[in-house]
RNA sequence: GCCCAGUUGGCGCAGUGGUAGCGCGUUCCCUUGACAUGGGAAAGGUCACAGGUUCAAAUCCUGUACUGGGCACCA
């Protein structure tokens, strides 16, 4: 075995073996089901580091539960991605100078299909490379035949329940994408703009009103000017008419409570066709809605001389002309939140248009109840409140999109007939609605659709509801809430009882990754450079619920180092085994175990328990940190170092005990690490198999090691801590006094140090010939640990000034410790109801510190 | 404006009532037969601030400040 872990060949070999064994396949069985449906990535290109995080987490959970013996099923798939994917294709076409409309709908869709095929391949390949143990036989796509059937059936069912309607409403319109969007597909950002005070003269030639507006270009759609009924300044105008500049259309002045007379001039121009609040006012007062802006973002005929100008140009021109002609009273700087398209960033235009909607209030009731009754939990809990609030204050969902890529709305029209919901044409003369459904409509059905819904399949019965959903908080409403609605509406059960919400992977400085900033990290590159296990560990070790991750390549490097450490620990163990014997902890003879054995077994058991509990609680970071620390700082740093001496000795019971523990603890730790870093653990487990007694070829089939004996041993742990303390005290002394590293020193020992533990100190601190204390040897340095003191004669080596300085520092530390213990003891004895153990523990701590102080004081006295 | 989260050594983060931890980085020493992708030692924090509860607070409560986020917005 080579002394450096080389991930590439190992990963290739393991993937091939896993694939050949169809290791991740699942079928309904009598075992407990543990099911996850993948958040299907959009077919917009390659996966990014966020996907790597999302899928690593899911894979860890899946592997963990499979190793616990459950029937795990992780369903792979991709999402057609509606607008996002169509935008990608439009960019491609633009580069080829092809117009989408010239190409035609059918040819366009043909190209989309081709692109989708390629993209799926890329995505699934990347997931495979990541080690994702997906049941590839179940691959689904939100627009394949089975999913199309589910979408149709869901639409039809909602229609029949009266939950779908078509109507002309003010919707969020993306001028760039040329489609309506739902309320949650809109983002808001603060932008600096202006607030223009514009005079609308009275129809009778009087002064009229001065309105304040941020959007003067929409004034051609005004159908009233509103003032607050309590506003004395403008009361005389109510009921009068004023005239819109340039086009001289007269509009009424109305009174409405909505108007805030603190703001602007207290006069509000009302444009029902282009503003939600104005729309509401319009409804209350029976105002007409005049469209001043067209779906392509240009001013309409209503704008008279400005017709045909873009929104932006129109605004500039209108403002310039208002000023030139004396209508502009004043311009203020004004910050306002503009709404932008979540797909292309263009400014959203509220536009009156005919769209399809899904009624939400009714559908939101069941998820709300499920949440309140604890049948659905969000991790971390802090996302529960906004989730709930969103459901309570929910608005109807605009589901029609004016694009081509998606599920065509299954509604057919014919003159003089009522619209019909049908999969295909009901007959001659019928035409299908040209729009497609919001991509999130099909996503909402995902946990149902991947198991064959609406058919009552065996899969659906066994796997639904699924166990957990792992996703980012940015699609909590967009997706998670909608799945809850649909799942409850159609199957009466939550689609998953738990949602694990992870954060966004940001760059090192905490900035969001974006192509334009050039700070995007390619997961494939990281895997190439450091190995897949290292990337997975780097992501997972920082994946605390709901928290964003600041991604630093350094972390991957350090995890690569950890993987290498694991590799080398196994190399060491393997080098020290003889062929032909298998080991297990169960066969260990307890009488021949020494302190380090009892200690490592106790720690091993505790860490296994912890990592399992952490993974059960969807906390892979906790599991990763526990196992990392155990393997490196306990198993390698202390146990292996101590075992070295035993392994070079003659064959015997002690050597065999050390071998058994090395093999078993390592094998068990590899199993525990397998959900986190599957490749290296599988490779090493295979290498250990002749000795570990493991008969299964794959860790996923082998399952976790179940200790048959309770190795927990607090006494051994405490005792080992004392030995470690002694070793560290001597090492520290040596380092600070510049005792040569390879120099073995003698020592006089005062206090307790069991004979059996002397070899530990001897080996790890290079001390030999530990004589019992009779007197402090001359010219010696002193290492004081709890319960034991070492006097190390160092004539000619010790710089006594330095030694004094060192001891003084240690004395100060002892004093601090005592003071802290005193404070604690005082508190504890003053309090009532303090457990006796706590008091005893505090006393012990204090006694130890006092003893240390005494030794240090004595030594310092001798030195001076 | 309302709500939520965060504020811990240079950086990134754990830690939820009893003497502050981890990774990276820094300084010094070391190529000793698992590993220099390593080993040893060390420096570095009054846990944002102000009150409060408690015998005891980084941890619980209240308030303030800053940062990030969610929701709602006065045109």
């Amino acid at each position: 075995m080579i002394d450096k872990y080389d991930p590439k060949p190992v990963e290739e070999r393991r993937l091939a073996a896993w694939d050949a064994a169809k290791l991740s396949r699942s079928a309904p069985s009598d075992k407990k089901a543990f099911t996850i449906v993948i958040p299907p990535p959009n077919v917009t290109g390659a996966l990014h580091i966020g996907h790597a995080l999302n899928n690593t987490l899911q894979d860890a959970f899946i592997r963990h539960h499979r190793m616990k013996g459950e029937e795990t099923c992780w369903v792979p798939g991709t999402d057609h991605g509606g607008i996002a994917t169509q935008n990608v294709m439009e960019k491609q076409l633009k580069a080829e100078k092809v117009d989408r409309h010239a190409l035609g709908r059918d040819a366009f869709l043909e190209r989309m299909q081709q692109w989708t095929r390629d993209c799926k391949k890329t995505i699934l390949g990347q997931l495979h490379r990541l080690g994702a143990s997906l049941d590839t036989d179940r691959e689904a796509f939100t627009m394949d035949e089975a999913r199309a059937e589910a979408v149709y059936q869901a639409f039809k069912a909602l229609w029949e329940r009266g939950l779908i309607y078509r109507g002309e409403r003010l919707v969020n319109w993306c001028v760039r994408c040329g489609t309506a969007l739902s309320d949650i597909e809109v983002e808001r950002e603060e932008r600096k703009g202006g607030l223009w005070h514009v005079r609308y003269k009275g129809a009778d030639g009087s002064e009229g009103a001065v309105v304040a507006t941020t959007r003067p270009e929409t004034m051609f759609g005004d159908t009233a000017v509103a003032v607050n009924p309590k506003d004395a300044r403008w009361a005389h105008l109510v009921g009068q008419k004023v005239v819109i500049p340039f086009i001289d259309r007269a509009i009424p002045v109305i009174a409405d409570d909505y108007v805030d007379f603190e703001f602007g001039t207290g006069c509000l121009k009302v444009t029902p066709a282009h503003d939600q609040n104005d729309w509401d006012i319009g409804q209350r007062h029976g105002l007409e809605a005049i469209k001043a802006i067209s779906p392509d973002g240009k001013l309409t005929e209503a704008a008279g001389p400005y017709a045909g100008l873009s929104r932006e140009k129109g605004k500039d021109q209108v403002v310039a002309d208002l000023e030139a002609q004396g209508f502009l009273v004043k311009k203020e700087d004004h910050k306002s939140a503009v709404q932008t398209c979540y797909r292309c960033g263009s400014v959203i235009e509220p536009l009156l248009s005919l769209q399809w909607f899904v009624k939400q209030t009714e559908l939101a009731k069941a998820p709300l109840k499920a949440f309140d009754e604890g049948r659905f939990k969000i991790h971390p809990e802090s996302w529960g409140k906004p989730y709930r609030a969103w459901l309570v204050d929910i608005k109807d969902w605009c589901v029609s999109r004016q694009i081509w890529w998606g599920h065509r709305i299954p509604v057919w029209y014919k003159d003089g007939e009522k619209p019909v919901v049908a999969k295909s044409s009901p007959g001659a003369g019928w035409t299908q609605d040209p729009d497609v459904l919001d991509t999130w409509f099909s996503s909402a059905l995902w946990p149902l659709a991947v198991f064959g819904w609406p058919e009552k399949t065996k899969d659906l019965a066994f796997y639904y509801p699924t166990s957990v959903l792992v996703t980012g908080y940015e699609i909590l409403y967009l997706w998670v809430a909608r799945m809850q609605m649909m799942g409850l509406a159609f199957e009466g059960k939550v689609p998953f009882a738990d949602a694990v919400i992870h954060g966004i992977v940001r760059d090192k400085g905490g900035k969001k990754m974006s192509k334009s900033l050039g700070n995007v990290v390619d997961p494939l590159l990281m895997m190439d450079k450091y190995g897949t296990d290292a990337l997975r560990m780097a992501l997972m070790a920082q994946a605390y619920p709901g928290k964003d991750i600041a991604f630093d390549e350094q972390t991957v490097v350090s995890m690569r180092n950890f993987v290498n450490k694991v590799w080398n620990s196994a190399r060491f163990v393997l080098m020290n085994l003889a062929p032909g014997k298998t080991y297990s902890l169960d066969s260990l003879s307890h009488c021949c175990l020494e302190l380090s054995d009892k200690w490592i077994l106790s720690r091993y058991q505790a860490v296994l328990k912890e990592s399992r509990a952490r993974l059960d609680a969807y906390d892979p970071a906790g599991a990763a940190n526990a196992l990392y620390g155990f393997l490196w700082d306990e198993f390698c740093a202390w146990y292996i170092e101590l075992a070295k001496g035993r392994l070079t000795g003659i064959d015997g019971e002690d050597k065999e005990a050390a071998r058994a523990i090395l093999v078993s603890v390592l094998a068990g730790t590899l199993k525990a690490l397998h959900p986190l870093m599957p490749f290296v653990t599988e490779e090493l487990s295979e290498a250990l198999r002749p000795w570990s007694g493991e008969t299964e070829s794959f860790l996923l089939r082998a399952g976790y090691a179940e200790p048959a004996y309770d190795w927990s041993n607090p006494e051994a742990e405490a005792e080992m801590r004392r030995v470690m303390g002694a070793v560290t005290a001597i090492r520290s002394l040596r380092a600070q006094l510049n005792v040569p590293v390879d120099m073995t020193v003698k020592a006089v020992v005062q206090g307790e140090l069991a004979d059996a533990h002397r070899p530990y100190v001897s080996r790890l601190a290079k001390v030999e010939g530990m004589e019992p204390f009779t007197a402090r040897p001359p010219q010696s340095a002193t290492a004081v640990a709890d319960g034991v003191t070492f006097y190390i004669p160092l004539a000619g080596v010790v710089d006594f000034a330095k030694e004094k300085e060192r001891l003084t520092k240690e004395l100060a530390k002892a004093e601090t410790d005592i003071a802290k213990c005193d404070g604690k003891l005082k508190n504890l004895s003053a309090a009532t109801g303090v457990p006796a153990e706590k008091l005893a523990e505090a006393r012990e701590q204090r006694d130890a510190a006092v003893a240390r102080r005494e030794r240090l004081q004595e030594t310092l006295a001798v030195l001076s």
Side-chain angles (χ1 to χ4, degrees):
Chain A
M1 265 172 102
I2 44 171
D3 65 353
K4 293 274 183 298
Y5 174 58
D6 182 12
K8 193 153 271 175
V10 172
E11 288 171 15
E12 281 168 10
R13 193 160 59 242
R14 291 299 140 197
L15 285 173
W18 294 340
D19 292 345
K22 299 237 175 224
L23 208 55
S24 304
R25 194 185 249 174
S26 176
S29 68
D30 53 6
K31 289 192 266 184
K32 186 184 169 201
F34 183 85
T35 315
I36 301 180
V37 292
I38 196 172
N42 285 344
V43 285
T44 45
L47 299 185
H48 54 67
I49 195 93
H51 290 114
L53 169 68
N54 177 252
N55 290 292
T56 298
L57 292 174
Q58 293 174 74
D59 189 55
F61 300 150
I62 284 285
R63 286 178 187 269
H64 170 62
H65 282 270
R66 187 159 277 222
M67 291 191 70
K68 283 173 68 177
E70 295 167 20
E71 184 61 55
T72 59
C73 179
W74 185 15
V75 182
T78 44
D79 196 306
H80 66 279
I83 301 167
T85 313
Q86 176 155 333
N87 284 355
V88 168
M89 181 55 65
E90 282 176 8
K91 264 184 203 161
Q92 283 181 21
L93 290 177
K94 201 177 169 191
E96 296 169 27
K97 298 198 163 67
V98 177
D99 179 62
R100 169 161 71 91
H101 297 276
L103 193 63
R105 188 165 187 155
D106 290 342
F108 180 83
L109 290 178
E110 188 45 53
R111 277 196 65 150
M112 289 296 290
Q113 294 288 359
Q114 181 54 50
W115 161 259
T116 298
R117 274 191 289 275
D118 294 346
C119 197
K120 273 192 211 169
K121 225 171 152 182
T122 307
I123 289 171
L124 292 167
Q126 283 180 295
L127 289 172
H128 185 246
R129 173 90 195 274
L130 196 63
S133 54
L134 292 153
D135 184 353
T136 46
D137 292 348
R138 295 177 182 275
E139 187 200 333
F141 176 55
T142 54
M143 238 167 73
D144 61 22
E145 225 171 281
R147 264 45 69 178
E149 177 64 17
V151 164
Y152 170 68
Q153 293 295 344
F155 189 95
K156 192 167 161 235
L158 291 171
W159 169 274
E160 281 162 2
R161 292 187 204 181
L163 295 173
I164 285 192
Y165 66 93
R166 193 184 194 212
E168 188 164 51
R169 296 291 132 91
L170 206 59
V171 296
N172 304 298
W173 184 268
C174 177
V175 168
R176 219 259 0 132
C177 299
T179 181
L181 298 171
S182 67
D183 294 332
I184 43 179
E185 288 172 301
V186 168
E187 284 168 359
R188 283 192 174 80
E189 65 179 271
E190 281 260 291
R191 279 193 201 173
K192 278 183 198 161
L195 181 67
W196 288 272
H197 296 218
V198 180
R199 179 167 302 281
Y200 284 21
K201 284 186 178 153
D204 56 4
S206 63
E207 290 231 305
V210 178
V211 301
T213 180
T214 55
R215 300 206 59 193
E217 73 278 18
T218 64
M219 69 185 198
F220 310 111
D222 290 357
T223 48
V225 165
V227 299
N228 192 290
K230 290 185 198 117
D231 193 340
R233 293 172 301 172
W234 303 107
H236 64 282
L237 281 177
V238 177
Q240 308 283 312
K241 289 204 164 182
V242 292
V243 175
I244 301 171
F246 309 137
I247 56 170
D248 293 336
R249 182 156 54 76
I251 51 173
V253 177
I254 58 173
D256 195 287
D257 287 330
Y258 170 78
V259 182
D260 175 0
F261 47 87
E262 303 273 313
F263 188 89
T265 59
C267 264
L268 167 71
K269 67 190 240 354
V270 183
T271 324
H274 296 289
D275 183 279
Q276 187 60 51
N277 292 311
D278 291 9
W279 170 261
D280 295 341
I281 294 172
Q283 292 297 104
R284 285 197 286 276
H285 296 270
L287 300 177
E288 198 189 339
I290 296 175
K291 295 174 188 174
I293 294 170
S294 65
D296 58 1
K298 289 181 177 152
L299 299 188
T300 63
E301 295 305 316
Y306 301 95
L309 289 178
S310 71
R311 290 180 294 180
E312 295 78 12
K313 277 196 182 137
K315 180 187 226 162
D316 293 345
Q317 195 60 51
V318 166
V319 168
D321 292 349
L322 284 171
E323 186 164 20
Q325 297 185 34
F327 289 108
L328 187 67
V329 177
K330 170 178 176 190
K331 186 214 163 180
E332 292 176 58
D333 287 332
H334 181 69
K335 261 191 298 183
S336 65
V338 295
Q339 306 192 85
T340 57
C341 171
Y342 83 137
R343 285 308 179 202
C344 74
S346 308
V347 174
I348 290 297
E349 191 60 48
L351 211 69
L352 192 59
S353 72
L354 189 60
Q355 301 287 347
W356 285 95
F357 295 86
V358 176
K359 288 187 192 170
Q360 296 284 273
T361 313
E362 199 58 34
L363 283 170
K365 279 181 185 164
L368 211 46
K369 196 157 171 267
F371 180 78
D372 288 341
E373 289 172 359
R375 281 179 285 126
F376 171 54
K377 291 195 196 75
I378 298 176
H379 313 266
E381 277 177 20
S382 53
W383 276 105
K385 216 168 161 178
Y387 169 80
R388 194 180 186 287
W390 187 77
L391 285 173
V392 170
D393 196 26
I394 201 160
K395 288 169 193 78
D396 284 356
W397 175 13
C398 175
V399 288
S400 42
R401 298 288 176 273
Q402 288 64 50
I403 58 172
W404 288 346
W405 181 238
H407 291 280
R408 191 98 174 241
I409 289 174
V411 177
W412 298 77
Y413 309 100
K414 187 176 175 178
D415 281 347
E417 304 274 348
K418 274 180 153 180
V420 171
V421 173
K423 244 193 282 193
S424 52
S425 175
W430 290 85
T431 52
Q432 188 172 10
D433 194 299
D435 292 353
V436 300
L437 284 166
D438 182 2
T439 192
W440 296 104
F441 189 94
S442 53
S443 310
L445 301 167
W446 188 243
L448 295 166
V450 297
F451 295 119
W453 184 90
E455 296 295 315
K456 298 269 176 212
T457 61
K458 261 183 161 173
D459 280 352
L460 193 65
F462 184 71
Y463 294 116
Y464 189 94
T466 67
S467 306
V468 62
L469 182 88
V470 182
T471 191
Y473 53 74
E474 68 276 14
I475 50 177
L476 185 62
Y477 315 131
L478 226 37
W479 191 42
V480 179
R482 263 108 177 232
M483 283 189 282
Q484 289 284 332
M485 282 187 205
M486 296 296 200
L488 284 157
F490 294 129
E491 277 297 302
K493 289 183 209 154
V494 295
F496 34 84
D498 292 281
V500 171
I501 306 297
H502 60 247
I504 292 169
V505 183
R506 295 168 179 276
D507 76 1
K508 194 180 163 184
K511 285 205 187 74
K512 216 165 173 172
M513 288 187 187
S514 74
K515 277 179 197 155
S516 52
L517 282 175
N519 59 352
V520 177
V521 174
D522 180 2
L524 284 177
L525 184 69
M526 291 296 112
M527 290 189 248
D528 286 340
K529 280 175 85 171
Y530 307 108
T532 302
D533 288 327
L535 175 66
R536 288 172 59 118
M537 281 294 277
L539 291 169
M540 247 175 321
Q542 297 182 87
Y544 290 90
K547 286 197 79 159
D548 287 351
I549 292 174
F551 184 87
D552 185 348
E553 190 167 332
Q554 258 307 313
T555 312
V556 192
V557 172
S558 68
M559 286 305 171
R560 187 270 317 261
N561 295 353
F562 175 66
V563 172
N564 188 59
K565 188 75 185 176
V566 175
W567 175 262
N568 273 292
S569 66
R571 214 160 66 91
F572 172 81
V573 172
L574 288 164
M575 283 167 109
N576 284 286
L577 296 171
K581 184 158 182 201
T582 61
Y583 296 94
S584 86
L585 293 182
D586 300 339
S587 62
L588 275 183
S589 161
H590 291 207
C591 62
C592 68
L593 297 186
E594 56 172 68
L595 175 62
S596 68
D597 297 332
K598 292 177 188 161
W599 163 75
I600 199 71
L601 289 169
S602 180
R603 289 293 308 134
Y604 168 65
Q605 180 172 310
V607 166
L608 289 191
K609 198 172 155 198
E610 175 168 11
S611 80
R612 286 178 67 154
R614 297 281 197 166
L615 283 171
D616 280 341
Y618 304 118
D619 173 16
N625 292 334
L627 290 164
Y628 181 106
F630 173 73
L631 195 288
W632 201 318
D633 299 328
E634 298 187 302
F635 186 69
C636 289
W638 294 93
Y639 190 75
I640 284 186
E641 287 311 316
L642 288 173
K644 280 177 180 171
R646 302 158 75 186
L647 292 166
T648 52
I650 49 155
D651 285 0
E653 218 181 16
D654 178 60
K655 192 168 178 176
E656 287 305 292
R659 282 173 166 169
I661 291 167
L662 283 167
V663 170
S664 307
V665 169
L666 179 61
T669 307
L670 290 172
K671 284 182 170 184
L673 279 166
H674 185 253
L676 309 174
M677 27 191 260
F679 295 102
V680 72
T681 49
E682 186 85 288
E683 179 80 2
L684 294 174
S685 296
E686 185 180 282
L688 281 172
R689 214 176 293 137
W691 295 275
S692 66
E694 182 57 61
T695 50
E696 284 286 357
S697 311
F698 300 101
L699 287 179
L700 283 185
R701 291 212 179 120
Y704 286 131
E706 299 289 347
Y709 178 82
D710 182 5
W711 294 105
S712 172
N713 192 335
E715 296 79 24
E717 290 195 30
E719 209 177 331
M720 189 64 190
R721 271 198 298 275
R722 279 197 294 277
V723 172
M724 290 167 162
V727 169
T728 305
I730 300 170
R731 281 174 172 172
S732 178
L733 175 156
R734 295 180 56 125
Q736 289 179 55
L737 297 179
N738 298 319
V739 177
V741 179
D742 50 359
M743 180 177 159
T744 300
V745 297
K746 291 193 191 313
V748 167
V749 183
Q750 182 180 19
E752 319 158 24
L753 184 67
D755 286 347
H757 307 156
R758 285 169 193 244
Y760 293 178
V761 175
S762 179
R763 166 160 204 92
L764 299 175
K766 292 219 158 164
V767 179
E768 63 178 14
M770 286 172 259
E771 313 263 328
F773 181 82
T774 48
R776 190 179 175 284
Q779 301 236 319
S780 61
T782 315
V784 180
D786 281 346
V788 62
T789 303
F790 299 86
Y791 299 102
I792 300 173
L794 287 168
V797 185
V798 178
D799 174 344
F800 278 93
K802 246 187 184 173
E803 168 68 347
K804 226 169 125 181
E805 191 187 309
R806 193 182 67 82
L807 292 171
T808 307
K809 220 167 163 186
E810 279 194 42
L811 182 62
K813 171 81 169 94
E815 299 279 13
T816 315
D817 287 356
I818 293 166
K820 279 179 182 167
C821 288
D822 279 344
K824 188 177 164 187
L825 270 171
K826 200 178 131 203
N827 286 332
L828 288 175
S829 47
T832 49
V834 176
E837 313 92 74
K838 290 232 168 192
L839 208 61
E841 194 186 283
R843 286 221 177 86
E844 267 175 49
Q845 282 170 356
R846 183 178 189 282
D847 291 348
V850 169
R852 245 188 314 134
R853 177 177 66 180
E854 277 169 17
R855 293 288 167 85
L856 288 163
Q857 281 170 338
E858 284 166 22
T859 306
L860 275 165
V862 174
L863 280 181
S864 337

